[in-house]
């Protein structure tokens, strides 16, 4: 390889003048091209920043990427005193070594990494057309998905391997108007087209893309072209499915985030209420076991209060706390009784009724005004302990054969949660009712809000976990190639929770799929406006708990998703606001125009130090051009992305102010149907 390249003397453009691991300096010859090289097989733009040069050595040829071009003064031609040393300019290049080009038979092969650096005085060459093609297009399996062409690679095709692009997470970063959304839509479309081209059958590819679309941009991007595309929208729309993320699918962390439950007493009571309601729906054994532990908890609290009874005063003075405790116990016992079948549990139902009645009798004998009680005697606390321990506890099983946790996605009656939460708080006493009041209010507002109720509390039985997974991930009978989740009308109160639930359930479903089948199920989540959902710590405002939960979910997906076949595509115009954990897990980047200094500085930190200078073009990149680097690309390359027809583009065009102002286009305004839809 080295010898063959050296024989191409007409391609020599200079010599190496300085060698460092991260930068090699090349001094150009006087006859090196000024703008266009005509001796490279085809006219080639040279010298240009982000163009390529070859530096032959004993291992083949080091591929260098031009990072800087400048003019400096050459040294004197002679030291003879009879000559005057006049300034003489010479051009220099700073080149970053990025790979090694080898000859494999008749073809060139590009390898990542640099096996040997050139020496001072070695020649520098312009790559020929075939060499540029090998550098840009990659080798073998890398040539599967066509992204676009390389302006500085003689417009060679830029091709990548989808396994590398999606399997190790991709970040598409760029300012508004830089072509970022078209790139994302194109990646999905071009991937399916490339897969279809490799199939002999006419059935569609078994791709799985879930596009989380906060601005409703992607609805028309796949319309009519693919049969297996499903859109989820808020409300009813022809050709779309009403979005539902039932609150019974939420786990304990998501419920705690939504209600902003504090860890002291609010969160334990909320989780206990969720466990009770879930177990009440799946079978008597689990519910009876949970009831036994609840009664045991009541006994523990009462015995603690009894142990603190003053020995020198024969009366109970902590009236309010004991009264709240007993009232909560009685209410909870009656609630549990109503969940048991009449015929199967006649004795237990009778015992629950009897103990609850006895406790209510104690309270009735002490109450002299609503919420006010005479002093309690020792027997007033000893008797409830005896009734619970002797009359009720023996009728409950020692151990539950099966019990669900608060995170189990089992359907329960969401409207019963505020009532159950109040019962648990009353049973605990010590002012717990006041502590859970904000949680209860938050849940009741959600259930009464006409915007949120269809999303989080659809009709009981209208959607199951099986329906949810089949809707988003498809199955053998109803495969989904692309799922578009339009989040534009999801209320801000629940949007972070809804996105978190969708991502978490997808991740956990794929975990279980791999365990059951010993193989992963390749799936990709595309997150538009990612800075909204994976924002870094401390910048959430009033929605901090929900946003934090959403961020943590995607951080887990970013760290562990690859093992279960779940890839991420993050699209954002503000990378500096993204979670560092999520960005650090992205192995490939498509960088469109970035103007903000903070965003540019962050992006430079994401790439190896030697490549940081190569991103100097980010502020000036035209629309539709991006720098591809990372695991999916053998070498960093500037790409002009493929064209998308207008009807396939996301609806993210800039507003046409002037045409509307000058009445060039008609924009009628009728608010009546909008108001009716809004209010209903």
């Amino acid at each position: 390889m080295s010898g063959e390249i050296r024989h191409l003397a007409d391609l020599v453009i200079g010599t190496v003048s300085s060698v460092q691991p991260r930068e090699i300096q090349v001094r150009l010859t006087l006859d090196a091209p000024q703008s266009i090289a005509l001796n490279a097989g085809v006219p080639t733009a040279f010298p240009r920043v982000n163009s390529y040069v070859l530096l032959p050595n004993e291992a083949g040829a080091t591929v260098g990427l031009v990072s800087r071009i400048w003019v400096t003064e050459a040294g004197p031609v002679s030291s003879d005193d009879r000559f005057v040393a006049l300034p003489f300019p010479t051009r220099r290049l700073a080149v970053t070594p990025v790979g090694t080009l080898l000859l494999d038979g008749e073809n060139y092969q590009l390898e990542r990494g640099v096996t040997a650096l050139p020496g001072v005085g070695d020649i520098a060459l312009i790559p020929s057309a075939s060499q540029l093609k090998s550098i840009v297009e990659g080798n073998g399996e890398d040539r599967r998905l066509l992204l676009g062409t390389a302006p500085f690679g003689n417009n060679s095709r830029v091709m990548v391997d989808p396994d590398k692009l999606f399997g190790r997470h991709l970040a598409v970063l760029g300012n508004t108007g830089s072509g970022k959304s078209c790139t994302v839509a194109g990646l999905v479309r071009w991937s399916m087209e490339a897969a279809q081209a490799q199939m002999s059958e006419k059935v569609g590819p078994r791709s799985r893309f879930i596009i989380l679309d906060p601005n409703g941009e992607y609805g028309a991007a796949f319309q009519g072209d693919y049969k297996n595309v499903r859109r989820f929208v808020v409300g009813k729309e022809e050709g779309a499915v009403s979005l539902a993320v039932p609150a019974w699918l939420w786990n304990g962390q998501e419920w705690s985030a939504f209600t902003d439950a504090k860890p002291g007493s609010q969160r334990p009571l909320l989780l206990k209420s969720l466990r009770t309601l879930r177990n009440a729906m799946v079978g008597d054994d689990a519910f009876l076991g949970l009831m036994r532990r609840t009664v045991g908890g009541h006994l523990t609290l009462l015995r603690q209060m009894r142990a603190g009874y003053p020995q020198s005063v024969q009366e109970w003075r902590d009236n309010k706390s004991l009264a709240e405790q007993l009232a909560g116990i009685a209410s909870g016992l009656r609630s549990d009784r109503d969940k048991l079948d009449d015929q199967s549990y006649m004795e237990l139902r009778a015992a629950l009724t009897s103990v609850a009645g006895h406790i209510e009798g104690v309270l009735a004998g002490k109450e002299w005004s609503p919420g006010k009680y005479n002093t309690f005697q020792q027997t007033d606390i000893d008797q409830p302990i005896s009734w619970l321990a002797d009359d009720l506890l023996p009728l409950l099983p020692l151990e539950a054969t099966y019990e669900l946790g608060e995170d189990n996605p089992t359907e329960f009656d969401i409207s019963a949660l505020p009532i159950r939460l109040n019962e648990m708080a009353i049973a605990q006493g010590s002012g717990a009712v006041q502590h859970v009041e904000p949680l209860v209010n938050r849940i009741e507002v959600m259930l009464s809000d006409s915007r949120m109720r269809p999303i989080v509390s659809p009709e009981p039985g209208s959607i199951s976990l099986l329906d949810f997974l089949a809707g988003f991930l498809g199955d053998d009978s109803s495969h989904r190639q692309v799922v578009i989740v339009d989040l534009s009308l999801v209320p801000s109160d629940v949007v972070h929770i809804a996105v978190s639930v969708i991502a978490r359930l997808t991740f956990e479903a794929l975990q279980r799929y791999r365990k059951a089948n010993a193989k992963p199920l390749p799936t990709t989540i595309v997150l538009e406006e990612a800075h909204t959902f994976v924002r870094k710590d401390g910048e959430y405002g009033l929605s901090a708990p929900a946003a934090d939960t959403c961020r943590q979910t995607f951080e887990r997906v970013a760290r562990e998703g690859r093992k279960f076949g779940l890839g991420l595509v993050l699209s954002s115009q503000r990378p500096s606001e993204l979670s560092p954990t999520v960005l650090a897990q992205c192995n490939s980047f498509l960088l469109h125009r970035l103007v903000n200094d903070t965003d540019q500085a962050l992006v430079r930190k994401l790439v190896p130090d030697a490549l940081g200078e190569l991103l100097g073009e980010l502020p000036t990149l035209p629309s539709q051009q991006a720098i591809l680097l990372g695991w999916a690309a053998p070498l960093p390359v500037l790409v002009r992305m493929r064209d998308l027809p207008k009807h396939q583009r996301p609806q993210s065009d800039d507003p046409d102010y002037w045409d509307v102002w000058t009445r060039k286009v008609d924009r009628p305004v009728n608010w009546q149907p909008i108001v009716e839809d809004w209010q209903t």
Side-chain angles (χ1 to χ4, degrees):
M1 170 72 178
S2 177
E4 295 190 22
I5 286 184
R6 288 182 186 277
H7 291 160
L8 301 176
D10 55 337
L11 302 182
V12 176
I13 45 89
T15 57
V16 175
S17 61
S18 173
V19 179
Q20 299 180 26
R22 297 179 180 177
E23 182 180 271
I24 299 171
Q25 291 189 12
V26 175
R27 183 171 59 186
L28 298 182
T29 60
L30 295 178
D31 57 350
Q34 296 286 344
S35 58
I36 301 293
L38 300 176
N39 58 347
V42 294
T44 302
F46 183 86
R48 292 287 190 276
V49 172
N50 283 340
S51 62
Y52 300 97
V53 297
L54 293 180
L55 306 168
N57 54 52
E58 62 275 13
T62 298
V63 180
L65 200 58
V66 178
S67 58
R68 289 186 295 131
I69 305 173
W70 74 99
V71 175
T72 186
E73 180 182 333
V77 177
S78 172
S79 60
D80 195 324
D81 293 340
R82 293 174 298 174
F83 294 93
V84 177
L86 297 176
F88 188 80
T90 182
R91 291 176 295 153
R92 291 182 181 270
L93 304 179
V95 175
T96 302
V98 290
T100 302
L101 194 65
L102 303 173
L103 187 62
D104 182 11
E106 297 296 324
N107 300 314
Y108 294 105
Q109 296 289 334
L110 180 69
E111 288 189 354
R112 295 175 182 267
V114 177
T115 56
L117 294 172
V120 174
D122 284 356
I123 62 173
L125 309 173
I126 298 176
S128 65
S130 60
Q131 292 165 349
L132 275 175
K133 183 176 180 181
S134 298
I135 292 172
V136 171
E137 290 191 1
N139 310 306
E141 294 182 347
D142 288 343
R143 297 175 178 174
R144 285 175 170 170
L145 172 59
L146 176 61
L147 296 186
T149 57
F152 294 143
N154 278 340
N155 291 319
S156 299
R157 299 184 305 169
V158 178
M159 305 191 72
V160 297
D161 181 3
D163 289 349
K164 296 178 180 178
L165 191 69
F166 300 119
R168 295 196 176 188
H169 312 317
L170 167 69
V172 183
L173 310 176
N175 291 142
T176 300
S178 62
K180 181 176 74 279
S181 296
C182 287
T183 292
V184 172
L187 287 173
V188 177
R189 177 177 290 275
W190 302 330
S191 298
M192 292 190 294
E193 291 174 353
Q196 184 69 69
Q198 293 293 314
M199 299 172 62
S200 58
E201 302 176 5
K202 293 185 178 180
V203 296
R206 298 187 68 87
S207 58
R208 285 177 173 81
F209 289 95
I210 301 174
I211 302 176
L212 301 176
D213 180 14
N215 296 322
E217 298 177 356
Y218 289 83
F222 302 92
Q223 209 166 28
D225 294 331
Y226 299 97
K227 295 180 180 179
N228 295 324
V229 175
R230 169 173 281 197
R231 285 183 62 227
F232 289 92
V233 300
V234 174
K236 296 181 179 179
E237 182 179 320
E238 185 177 355
V241 180
S242 295
L243 176 63
V245 187
W248 57 262
L249 282 173
W250 303 3
N251 64 17
Q253 182 182 8
E254 288 151 356
W255 270 109
S256 299
F258 175 76
T259 58
D260 194 16
K262 300 299 185 292
S265 60
Q266 293 180 342
R267 184 178 171 89
L269 286 172
L270 175 62
L271 299 183
K272 189 175 181 181
S273 301
L274 290 172
R275 285 196 299 272
T276 303
L277 291 174
R278 291 192 195 278
N279 283 285
M281 302 297 291
V282 297
D284 293 338
D285 285 348
F287 184 63
L288 292 175
L290 188 62
M291 190 188 302
R292 180 182 180 88
R293 288 211 305 277
T294 300
V295 171
H298 295 331
L299 283 169
T300 299
L301 288 173
L302 290 176
R303 285 166 177 162
Q304 288 175 350
M305 299 179 78
R306 177 65 177 83
Y309 194 94
Q311 299 300 318
S312 58
V313 181
Q314 297 303 308
E315 63 182 18
W316 182 256
R317 296 186 180 276
D318 195 359
N319 296 319
K320 183 178 180 182
S321 179
L322 178 59
E324 289 179 351
Q325 179 78 24
L326 294 177
I329 291 173
S331 175
L333 294 179
R334 291 191 181 278
S335 177
D336 291 341
R337 177 204 60 189
D338 295 339
K339 294 181 175 66
L340 295 173
D341 179 68
D342 291 347
Q343 300 300 320
S344 303
Y345 296 98
M346 293 180 61
E347 184 180 5
L348 179 57
R349 283 174 57 88
L352 289 167
T353 302
S354 174
V355 173
H358 289 329
I359 293 174
E360 289 167 348
V362 171
L363 289 172
K366 295 295 181 180
E367 187 174 25
W368 56 271
S369 179
K372 296 183 179 180
Y373 298 86
N374 292 315
T375 55
F376 286 85
Q377 306 297 321
Q378 285 187 353
T379 55
D380 297 327
I381 189 170
D382 289 335
Q383 286 178 327
I385 291 176
S386 175
W387 294 327
L388 291 171
D390 300 335
D391 299 345
L392 184 56
L393 206 58
L395 299 178
L396 296 170
L398 293 177
E399 292 185 2
T401 57
Y402 177 70
E403 183 179 329
L404 301 180
E406 63 272 7
D407 295 339
N408 190 288
T410 301
E411 184 172 3
F412 65 89
D413 184 3
I414 302 168
S415 63
L417 182 56
I419 299 172
R420 191 60 175 173
L421 196 52
N422 262 323
E423 291 174 353
M424 291 288 183
I426 293 172
Q428 179 167 310
S430 302
V433 175
Q434 286 75 22
H435 291 159
V436 303
E437 186 175 356
L439 279 64
V440 172
N441 291 340
R442 188 104 164 102
I443 298 170
E444 290 178 339
V445 167
M446 177 184 75
L447 296 175
S448 62
D449 192 324
S450 60
R451 304 171 305 148
M452 289 191 277
R453 190 172 59 250
I455 301 172
V456 302
S457 184
E459 291 296 323
S462 62
I463 181 173
S464 66
L465 178 60
L466 179 61
D467 297 331
F468 187 88
L469 295 180
F472 281 89
L473 293 171
D475 53 30
D476 288 338
S477 62
S478 58
H479 175 58
R480 306 288 176 225
Q481 291 176 328
V482 179
V483 170
I484 303 170
V485 186
D486 187 342
L487 302 166
S488 58
L489 294 181
V490 176
S492 58
D493 304 67
V494 295
V495 67
H496 284 92
I497 297 297
V499 169
S500 176
V501 171
I502 293 171
R504 176 182 57 80
L505 287 177
T506 300
F507 174 73
E508 293 180 357
L510 295 181
Q511 276 186 312
R512 294 174 181 275
Y513 180 93
R514 196 188 75 164
K515 182 178 180 180
N517 297 275
K519 296 288 185 181
L521 183 65
T523 304
T524 303
I525 293 180
V526 179
L527 185 59
E528 261 288 350
E529 302 293 346
H531 52 276
T532 302
F533 301 104
V534 289
R535 201 174 180 90
K536 62 185 180 183
D537 294 334
E539 298 186 10
Y540 303 130
L542 296 177
S543 59
D548 186 59
T549 295
C550 188
R551 173 185 57 79
Q552 291 176 16
T553 297
F554 279 98
E555 286 179 346
R556 185 185 180 197
V557 170
R559 288 192 303 266
E560 306 173 29
R562 183 182 64 85
K563 295 178 289 187
F564 307 104
L566 182 56
L568 275 180
V569 176
L570 303 177
S571 175
S572 176
Q573 56 185 290
R574 290 309 309 273
S576 60
E577 296 179 359
L578 288 171
S579 162
T581 300
V582 174
L583 268 181
Q585 296 297 323
C586 292
N587 281 262
S588 299
F589 297 88
L590 267 168
L591 306 176
H592 287 265
R593 180 175 62 251
L594 282 171
V595 177
N596 185 274
D597 292 342
T598 305
D599 294 330
Q600 293 176 38
L602 176 70
V603 169
R604 284 191 173 90
K605 292 179 181 178
L606 295 174
V607 302
D609 292 343
L611 300 179
E613 292 295 327
L614 305 180
L615 305 182
E617 281 193 83
L618 287 179
T620 59
L621 286 178
S623 180
Q624 206 176 345
Q625 290 195 10
I627 296 175
L628 171 66
L629 52 84
W631 183 247
L635 296 181
V637 59
L638 179 66
V639 187
R640 185 192 182 277
M641 305 301 295
R642 293 168 61 182
D643 293 322
L644 271 180
K646 189 172 181 62
H647 71 278
Q648 296 178 0
R649 300 174 190 170
Q651 296 176 341
S652 58
D653 295 337
D654 294 332
D656 47 352
Y657 284 95
W658 185 253
D659 288 345
V660 174
W661 290 352
T662 58
R663 297 181 180 270
K664 184 178 180 180
V665 297
D666 187 27
R667 203 61 55 87
V669 179
N670 179 11
W671 293 112
Q672 184 62 33
I674 295 175
V675 169
E676 291 176 357
D677 179 72
W678 195 344
Q679 293 181 334
T680 57

